[in-house]
Amino acid sequence: MPARIDLSVGEWNRVSPKYVVVVVVSTLLSGLVLSAAAVFLWLVAGWSWAWIALIAIVVITLISLFVANRRTRSIGYRLRDDDLLFRRGIMYQRFVSVPYGRMQLIDITRGPVGRILGLADLKFVTAAAATSVVVPGLPEAEAAELRDRLVELAESRRAGL
């Protein structure tokens, strides 16, 4: 029986603490849009039950804002010998191992709030659509450096195939 991977060994690289601002702004905008839709359905369209949806939206938005900092701190990645290990999540934790030789595309994206804060998201795509991984909230220089390093590792691993 193969040995389990010890996820507690080694140093996890974390996303920038500024990324919590991106999460908060995104949560507030989503809550505002959904609340406006619920108010419209309640007052204009005459859906009498829409006030219940409005309360639920406000409660979910407030809870999301409350855990935003913890959610941001749960995101991390680690470069290992043969793969990149990514983690995220508080209650439902997700660990994804992306082998360097399987990486087909490494992309940097920057949203408007992230751009203002100097942050970027690094996206890895493999042949399997389910293994698409996004490491959000990296400082732009770190994202570019990591992308170049991963491209180098991916090319060296594919050469051996």
Side-chain angles (χ1 to χ4, degrees):
M1 182 171 172
R4 286 183 56 110
I5 298 171
D6 188 0
L7 301 173
S8 63
V9 174
E11 183 75 23
W12 284 95
N13 298 299
R14 302 260 171 107
V15 298
S16 171
K18 291 191 251 178
Y19 182 65
V20 75
V21 175
V22 176
V23 172
V24 166
V25 169
S26 174
T27 301
L28 286 174
L29 287 175
S30 298
L32 186 64
V33 168
L34 292 172
S35 294
V39 167
F40 175 82
L41 291 174
W42 182 24
L43 299 177
V44 177
W47 292 12
S48 59
W49 57 266
W51 66 272
I52 297 170
L54 177 62
I55 291 172
I57 291 166
V58 170
V59 167
I60 290 170
T61 300
L62 290 174
I63 291 170
S64 296
L65 289 172
F66 182 72
V67 298
N69 189 40
R70 178 66 184 100
R71 221 171 71 206
T72 300
R73 287 186 291 128
S74 74
I75 302 170
Y77 68 93
R78 185 179 335 154
L79 297 174
R80 300 190 311 174
D81 291 337
D82 296 318
D83 61 359
L84 176 130
L85 188 61
F86 173 75
R87 74 171 187 195
R88 82 175 317 147
I90 300 171
M91 283 181 39
Y92 297 99
Q93 293 182 340
R94 179 180 184 205
F95 290 88
V96 178
S97 174
V98 183
Y100 299 131
R102 301 288 182 184
M103 291 182 184
Q104 293 183 335
L105 173 72
I106 304 169
D107 187 22
I108 294 177
T109 58
R110 299 179 308 149
V113 178
R115 232 183 352 258
I116 292 169
L117 297 171
L119 301 177
D121 299 344
L122 199 60
K123 180 179 181 181
F124 313 98
V125 178
T126 66
T131 58
S132 176
V133 173
V134 177
V135 180
L138 297 174
E140 290 178 354
E142 184 180 332
E145 182 181 314
L146 183 57
R147 178 200 55 209
D148 294 343
R149 175 79 177 123
L150 290 172
V151 166
E152 179 184 306
L153 286 167
E155 288 175 353
S156 70
R157 297 303 195 274
R158 273 196 298 269
L161 294 179

